[in-house]
Amino acid sequence: MQDEPTPNELIKAVADFLRSEIAPAIEGHNAFKLRVGINALDLVIRQLTLAQAADAAEAARLQKLLGTDGSLFELNRALSEKIAKGEIDLQTPGLAEHLWQTTMDKLAVDQPNYASYKREIGTASKS
Amino acid sequence: MIEAELARCVASFRPGATGVTGAAKLSGGASQETWTFDIVHPDGTIGAILRRAPPGFGAAPSRAAGLDAEASLMQLAHDAGLPSPRVLHVLNPEEGLGTGFIMARVEGETIARKILRDEQFAKARPLLARQLGKVAAGIHGLPAAKLPKLRQMTATKEIGDLEREYRSFDWPRPVFELALRWLRDHDPGPSDEVTLVHGDFRHGNLIIGPDGVRAVLDWELAHFGDPMEDLGWICVNSWRFGEIDKPVGGFGSREELFAGYEETGRKVDPVRVMFWEVMGTLRWGVMCCGMMQRFRTGPDHSMERAMIGRRASETEIDLLRLLAPRGR
């Protein structure tokens, strides 16, 4: 067992330092690059926080949809092949819901400020 | 260093020019660069842009029109009265600057976030969609006989290219599969009319001033094909920069774009435009995945490329919003 602090806490400490102490002191193209770097660290923190539960739920949905078992990669490959062949489509019960949930979970990690994502989060909570 | 070569070159096509100042690289990978500089002349300074492949980088990737074709398209557009920079000079190999051309610099803004938010563009924003419709129609109406040799594309070919590229990544994406399937099922076939297509008609390639559109840039992806492609591409959500209820570049409506287009006597086919919007959304998603591949395997090991790889999911939500909208 590795000791604390967790990777999550370490990365957050670095990101916070870069954001509050370094970013204000840097200008020009390097300021842009620094912002991209901080965004990358923030993304990693979100993935470390959210991905495990989202991946487990995705795998469970895929197993139900496909009736088979396998790694997340294998299950996604199997679903992709079935969609390509037309064996599963939007009329298939559960497919649209699965794709929506999986995509929302990806956006929550990748780009939670993306306008389409924010709109769909709002839609979900209203319905 | 480049200023000396530019000064020699400039003197050859602009008699009386005494030199070049302020040369600065604006953008560029290894194979293609854009430079800004000023031509010093007794009659007044002339703002100029150099677009070139440096010596030793002649070959363009397969989709690219090539710098010579870009120069002639830009000049043709300028001559037809479209907002396009004047081409000042096409480079000769003996000038030592590589291949490419020099054009007049058009002042204005290309950065979408500024165009969509800054006060100085507030009056321009409501005009842009209609103006761009008209500009697109002008591009599609350029006389075929004068156009350079370009690749010819159809929807079917484009779907094939996208699918091949996506499959080469060997990373399963069920939403992309759904989109590919939809595109194949809705392929409208060859268009009645085949015209010049700009191929990258969107923010970043448009110079905007407080008065509206000032120039269309970057003909690198120009080809012959379905004119509705340009109208679909500019509606892709990735170019709305948060203003998702204004489908045209985050500043206007499809109706305004189409009205501007039809003012010229050309016709819009909204079903085809929607088809190309779906295609364009998937295309940008595949391009994001390509950035991730180049980050991993290529010499450009940059954070920017890596992070663009994580934007492919943006196109997945947009594809779902187009193809499987949830009940509202």
Side-chain angles (χ1 to χ4, degrees), chain B residues 77-268:
Chain B
H78 176 83
D79 293 347
L82 295 170
S84 176
R86 196 156 52 89
V87 176
L88 301 174
H89 178 66
V90 176
L91 300 180
N92 302 312
E94 58 269 25
E95 289 160 343
L97 283 163
T99 54
F101 57 94
I102 294 169
M103 57 179 152
R105 189 170 66 231
V106 176
E107 300 301 333
E109 188 54 73
T110 59
I111 298 170
R113 288 183 194 284
K114 293 189 179 169
I115 294 162
L116 295 181
R117 316 237 194 295
D118 284 6
E119 182 54 33
Q120 59 164 318
F121 303 110
K123 286 210 180 73
R125 282 192 287 271
L127 311 174
L128 288 175
R130 188 178 272 267
Q131 284 184 352
L132 287 169
K134 220 172 147 179
V135 171
I139 290 171
H140 301 157
L142 286 177
K146 288 189 177 174
L147 297 172
K149 197 169 162 336
L150 299 166
R151 75 201 150 94
Q152 181 150 352
M153 290 301 287
T154 61
T156 312
K157 252 198 242 179
E158 187 72 26
I159 298 167
D161 280 4
L162 268 184
E163 173 158 10
R164 219 172 2 265
E165 203 177 342
Y166 158 67
R167 301 245 176 265
S168 77
F169 303 146
D170 196 28
W171 186 262
R173 289 181 170 271
V175 176
F176 282 11
E177 298 284 356
L178 193 75
L180 280 168
R181 184 84 203 178
W182 186 92
L183 288 168
R184 266 187 252 113
D185 291 345
H186 293 79
D187 182 345
S191 51
D192 291 340
E193 196 192 3
V194 172
T195 70
L196 172 66
V197 177
H198 180 278
D200 205 4
F201 194 65
R202 61 163 173 95
H203 277 302
N205 295 331
L206 303 167
I207 298 183
I208 308 295
D211 48 343
V213 187
R214 288 185 175 170
V216 178
L217 303 173
D218 202 343
W219 294 84
E220 187 175 0
L221 296 174
H223 57 273
F224 293 112
D226 181 353
M228 296 302 106
E229 181 184 339
D230 279 335
L231 301 186
W233 183 236
I234 201 173
C235 291
V236 167
N237 190 59
S238 310
W239 322 135
R240 297 181 204 167
F241 296 86
E243 301 290 332
I244 59 175
D245 297 316
K246 294 183 179 147
V248 183
F251 45 70
S253 67
R254 291 188 185 84
E255 291 72 21
E256 292 165 307
L257 178 76
F258 296 173
Y261 193 82
E262 297 198 329
E263 248 174 54
T264 64
R266 300 191 62 85
K267 287 297 289 175
V268 171

Side-chain angles (χ1 to χ4, degrees), chain A residues 43 46-47 50-51 104-112, chain B residues 310:
Chain A
L43 186 155
R46 290 192 297 272
Q47 182 154 342
L50 300 171
M104 293 298 279
D105 289 343
K106 284 170 81 168
L107 267 296
V109 170
D110 286 349
Q111 307 292 344
Chain B
R310 282 301 189 96

Side-chain angles (χ1 to χ4, degrees), chain A residues 56-126:
Chain A
E58 183 184 349
R61 286 193 306 272
L62 282 165
Q63 283 161 10
K64 195 161 163 236
L65 207 53
L66 298 164
T68 53
D69 206 351
S71 70
L72 203 47
F73 186 87
E74 288 161 350
L75 290 165
N76 270 305
R77 163 139 299 163
L79 178 61
S80 294
E81 283 169 3
K82 283 188 185 295
I83 294 172
K85 286 185 198 148
E87 293 169 11
I88 288 185
D89 61 24
L90 287 171
Q91 265 62 59
T92 308
L95 180 72
E97 292 77 3
H98 166 72
L99 294 179
W100 264 109
Q101 189 58 54
T102 307
T103 302
M104 293 298 279
D105 289 343
K106 284 170 81 168
L107 267 296
V109 170
D110 286 349
Q111 307 292 344
N113 286 320
Y114 192 58
S116 305
Y117 173 74
K118 291 206 281 198
R119 176 70 54 88
E120 292 294 337
I121 285 270
T123 306
S125 61
K126 261 182 266 163

